[in-house]
């Protein structure tokens, strides 16, 4: 894509779009969208029309907006956007890349499903038998069932999903990672985890629920 360089600073526009999409940093958005950080800095420098269409498509998808909206925000005064030649060439390139991305998405989706099924095969075979046995005999010890959940845990680990803290563990209170459901605490105070939270890299999926330990529990810990 061609266009004249701009001396405008579009950093506020990018920051506003990032907040709306739930990203706290360019690095986080870069990892999510698969676009190098330098491309976002080029965007802020007004070089959107000198950026490849496939890169712009990934940025727009990461921000949750359309490609045309991205162009309107980061090149609002460029007259070439309104020209018939630009629109025709841009539309052809856009449609070609969109078709390629759709094919790639379908291919990756099939590979992902197959890889997941390979990991879960033993669980898929055994779990219906386990549920039937539990219905017939509710007294079956939980320790006999837990090992069968390992394939699911392994799959989640392969996705890069990490537990924030084990249930019943005591950790320093961090309001960014913890949701306080009982009592009051300041950052750094000891709290007890009641529900495990999860994160994937720098992205928080859900906070761990925590509560302030009771006086009896504190006395037990001190004794």
């Amino acid at each position: 894509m061609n266009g004249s360089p701009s001396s405008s600073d579009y950093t506020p526009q990018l920051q506003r779009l990032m907040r709306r999409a739930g990203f706290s940093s360019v690095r986080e958005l870069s990892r999510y969208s698969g676009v190098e950080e330098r491309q976002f800095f080029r965007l802020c420098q007004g070089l959107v029309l000198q950026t490849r269409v496939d890169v712009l498509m990934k940025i727009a998808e990461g921000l949750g907006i359309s490609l045309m909206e991205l162009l309107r925000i980061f090149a609002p005064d460029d007259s070439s956007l309104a020209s018939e030649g630009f629109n025709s060439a841009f539309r052809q390139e856009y449609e070609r890349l969109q078709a390629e991305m759709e094919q790639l998405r379908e291919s990756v989706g099939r590979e992902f499903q197959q890889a997941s099924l390979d990991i879960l095969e033993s669980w898929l075979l055994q779990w219906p038998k386990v549920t039937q046995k539990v219905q017939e005999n509710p007294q079956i010890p939980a320790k006999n069932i837990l090992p069968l959940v390992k394939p699911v845990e392994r799959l989640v680990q392969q996705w890069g999903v990490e537990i924030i803290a084990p249930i019943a563990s005591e950790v320093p209170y961090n309001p960014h990672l913890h949701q306080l459901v009982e009592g009051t605490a300041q950052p750094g105070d000891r709290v007890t985890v009641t529900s495990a939270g999860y994160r994937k890299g720098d992205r928080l999926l859900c906070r761990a629920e925590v509560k302030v330990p009771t006086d009896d529990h504190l006395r037990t810990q001190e004794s």
Side-chain angles (χ1 to χ4, degrees):
M1 297 179 63
N2 296 319
S4 57
S6 170
S7 60
S8 301
D9 181 9
Y10 291 93
T11 302
Q13 287 88 331
L14 178 61
Q15 290 176 338
R16 184 173 64 252
L17 290 171
M18 286 170 51
R19 286 195 299 269
R20 192 171 71 182
F23 296 102
S24 59
S25 67
V26 171
R27 176 174 295 182
E28 186 180 351
L29 175 56
S30 170
R31 291 178 177 175
Y32 179 81
S33 61
V35 175
E36 295 180 356
E37 290 184 43
R38 65 182 182 88
Q39 297 292 354
F40 295 97
F41 298 129
R42 285 172 54 83
L43 204 67
C44 293
Q45 294 169 358
L47 300 176
V48 62
L49 297 182
Q50 293 160 286
T51 304
R52 297 201 320 267
V53 177
D54 59 324
V55 173
L56 295 178
M57 289 176 66
K58 291 179 180 179
I59 293 175
E61 186 174 0
L63 291 171
I65 61 177
S66 70
L67 185 54
M68 290 308 299
E69 184 178 357
L70 184 78
L71 291 173
R72 284 195 296 268
I73 292 173
F74 291 95
D77 302 322
D78 200 293
S79 59
S80 64
L81 288 175
S83 69
E84 184 175 345
F86 176 88
N87 282 330
S88 176
F90 177 82
R91 185 174 297 279
Q92 290 178 8
E93 179 72 0
Y94 174 77
E95 290 175 352
R96 182 184 70 80
L97 289 170
Q98 195 172 40
E100 287 184 1
M101 290 183 69
E102 185 60 32
Q103 291 175 358
L104 179 61
R105 187 179 292 112
E106 291 178 359
S107 175
V108 171
R110 288 193 296 269
E111 292 177 4
F112 173 77
Q113 289 178 0
Q114 186 57 54
S116 300
L117 288 173
D118 289 343
I119 295 174
L120 292 176
E121 182 178 2
S122 62
W123 180 81
L124 291 169
L125 292 173
Q126 298 299 327
W127 193 248
K129 299 177 183 178
V130 172
T131 56
Q132 178 63 31
K133 292 294 184 182
V134 171
Q135 290 175 357
E136 294 174 355
N137 181 12
Q139 304 303 319
I140 293 178
K143 66 179 181 180
N144 295 343
I145 300 175
L146 290 177
L148 295 174
V149 187
K150 289 296 182 182
V152 181
E153 294 178 347
R154 188 153 57 92
L155 178 62
V156 172
Q157 289 174 352
Q158 287 203 358
W159 290 345
V161 176
E162 300 176 320
I163 190 171
I164 291 176
I167 293 177
S169 64
E170 285 199 3
V171 297
Y173 177 55
N174 182 340
H176 298 294
L177 299 177
H178 305 141
Q179 177 68 45
L180 191 61
V181 295
E182 186 177 323
T184 57
Q186 297 297 321
D189 291 350
R190 302 297 293 180
V191 291
T192 302
V193 179
T194 59
S195 178
Y198 294 91
R199 59 185 172 187
K200 187 178 187 299
D202 294 337
R203 192 172 183 82
L204 180 67
L205 301 179
C206 59
R207 289 181 173 85
E209 293 185 355
V210 299
K211 67 177 182 179
V212 177
T214 62
D215 292 340
D216 290 341
H217 180 72
L218 289 174
R219 282 195 292 269
T220 300
Q221 292 291 105
E222 293 172 355
S223 60

